[in-house]
Amino acid sequence: MPVAKKSGEDLRETLRLPLGERIELAAYDARATPGFADGKQAALTDTARMGGRLAGLQERLWAAGTAGDRRRVLLVLQGMDTSGKGGTVKHVIGQFNPAGCRIQAFKAPSEEERAHDFLWRVRRALPGPGEIGIFDRSHYEDVLIARVRHLAPPAEIGSRYGLINDFERELAEDGVTLVKCFLHISHDEQKRRLLRRLDRPDKHWKFDPTDIAERALWPAYQEAYELALEHCAAAHAPWYLVPADRKWYRNWAISRLLLEHLTALGPRYPKGAFDVAACREQLLRQA
Amino acid sequence: MPVAKKSGEDLRETLRLPLGERIELAAYDARATPGFADGKQAALTDTARMGGRLAGLQERLWAAGTAGDRRRVLLVLQGMDTSGKGGTVKHVIGQFNPAGCRIQAFKAPSEEERAHDFLWRVRRALPGPGEIGIFDRSHYEDVLIARVRHLAPPAEIGSRYGLINDFERELAEDGVTLVKCFLHISHDEQKRRLLRRLDRPDKHWKFDPTDIAERALWPAYQEAYELALEHCAAAHAPWYLVPADRKWYRNWAISRLLLEHLTALGPRYPKGAFDVAACREQLLRQA
């Protein structure tokens, strides 16, 4: 487990999974709060404080996009059922201007989607220049549930890791900053969250009895995740392991990762391609 | 001008334009605050207070959608340049969970879009069941700029009013609550806002010199709006005239219109289609 660092350090380094090494998820504590030592209340305050900065950077990115800057961000959220992908969209992405966000939740593929290669539907959902794209599940499902549930022949699934790597390299070269987050929850916490959904009638719509059968396959899913995190990581497309048993930490950490990436991009308001003084004069001359 | 009513009354009635009457936009004061008498600070507080209720109703609508309820809301925002369509998305729609919002800003149609009938691109951007759809501009541009700029033969433009009415009736019958808002700003306020964009380098990206030429056509646009507001209004798809010279009123009024509509829809969390006790037991028996 990486040593917890003090707030103010680069969380990307703290949470980035090592490249070219075996990943053992059991070695990571899902209740840890790496990079943040000050507890829940401080995290909520800090997250709220980041909101304004995130929205400001987003506006600059968007504005730059209107002037030809092709850069954009793609947040990929993966994790077991109840790990908080939806909660992240609500609480973290809710801090941005929704007009500049392109959110896609990937469900089981439709018949039309299955008629194409597995990246087809993903390409159609990519953010445009200046946008923040958010994938709630993604092309990784095609090496996760597809592997565990044998939805394709093993050789085909084996070939997908390379196809994903090619795809993500192509995205990076086209100006996409990939922020891939694995929301790491513990087996116990998943049980608590599923039981809570059952306890509360206003949460029943989130519950699917097949979640129980999926949970029984926990070890196979963890292994499939380990393979994906090992095989599909690169300097331009690393995985961040976000301990997610504590929701306040998850929201803080993902806000912070986005803030660090956006700050590093340093988007700027573009210079207008027009004569300001002449336009002002024209306007003032009008009735 | 409708008489200002006290807060607490039905704003839909206050702002709804009359059906089957000539509309004269000049008769409406763009600085008025119908339905709200208490000034800016109170409006900001009340708008923020509505945020939680809006998000709660949205979650119920979304949850109902997962269980087969086809109902959804479509907010259509129209208004002259600088009238605040983008600001409405940021400040009003920003109160919702972005995962359940489907936002489309309509620009000049692409070549592909022009190859189809004018409603083609609009149909593709409709909200799904349980979603809040937001159109920043819409199919109305095809009877607004298209009319003023002669982008199609007059007979064709004339036929579009009926096609729009048929389309909106079809939507209403399919469970879409249409909330069509005309953001009414004054000619003077537009000048102030355009000049402010020129004064601030961080706003230059929002400025387009063609805005000046469009502004010169103000009377033609007002007339085109009057025709659209007259011809394309029905009990199931009325127009709300939102005075928009004061941004705080605009945000308050549109939040309130959405709140009233969502409250009237009364979406409910669906009952789970599973045996809660059996699921709980199965979960508890698992490792």
Side-chain angles (χ1 to χ4, degrees), chain B residues 3-14:
Chain B
V3 179
K5 293 189 183 173
K6 270 194 247 128
S7 179
E9 296 196 34
D10 193 328
L11 194 67
R12 292 172 297 176
E13 283 178 33
T14 309

Side-chain angles (χ1 to χ4, degrees), chain B residues 194-258:
Chain B
L194 287 172
L195 286 171
R196 207 176 309 143
R197 287 186 181 174
L198 287 173
D199 289 341
R200 293 184 47 178
D202 64 330
K203 300 285 182 202
H204 283 178
W205 65 278
K206 290 187 177 188
F207 188 88
D208 185 329
T210 65
D211 294 349
I212 302 174
E214 289 293 288
R215 174 170 164 78
L217 298 169
W218 182 277
Y221 271 105
Q222 296 296 106
E223 194 193 335
Y225 265 110
E226 289 170 347
L227 285 173
L229 300 172
E230 279 164 35
H231 291 341
C232 299
H236 60 268
W239 274 104
Y240 300 102
L241 184 143
V242 179
D245 273 11
R246 302 177 196 253
K247 294 175 183 178
W248 57 263
Y249 174 77
R250 174 201 77 206
N251 291 338
W252 176 85
I254 298 176
S255 298
R256 173 94 198 180
L257 287 173
L258 289 170

Side-chain angles (χ1 to χ4, degrees), chain A residues 64-86:
Chain A
T66 65
D69 190 335
R70 287 189 59 76
R71 293 181 303 167
R72 45 233 144 111
V73 171
L74 177 58
L75 176 68
V76 174
L77 298 172
Q78 285 288 165
M80 301 293 288
D81 285 335
T82 77
S83 61
K85 301 180 289 296

Side-chain angles (χ1 to χ4, degrees), chain B residues 66-87:
Chain B
T66 66
D69 190 334
R70 289 189 58 75
R71 292 180 303 166
R72 46 233 143 109
V73 171
L74 176 57
L75 176 68
V76 173
L77 298 171
Q78 286 287 164
M80 300 294 288
D81 286 335
T82 77
S83 62
K85 301 179 291 292

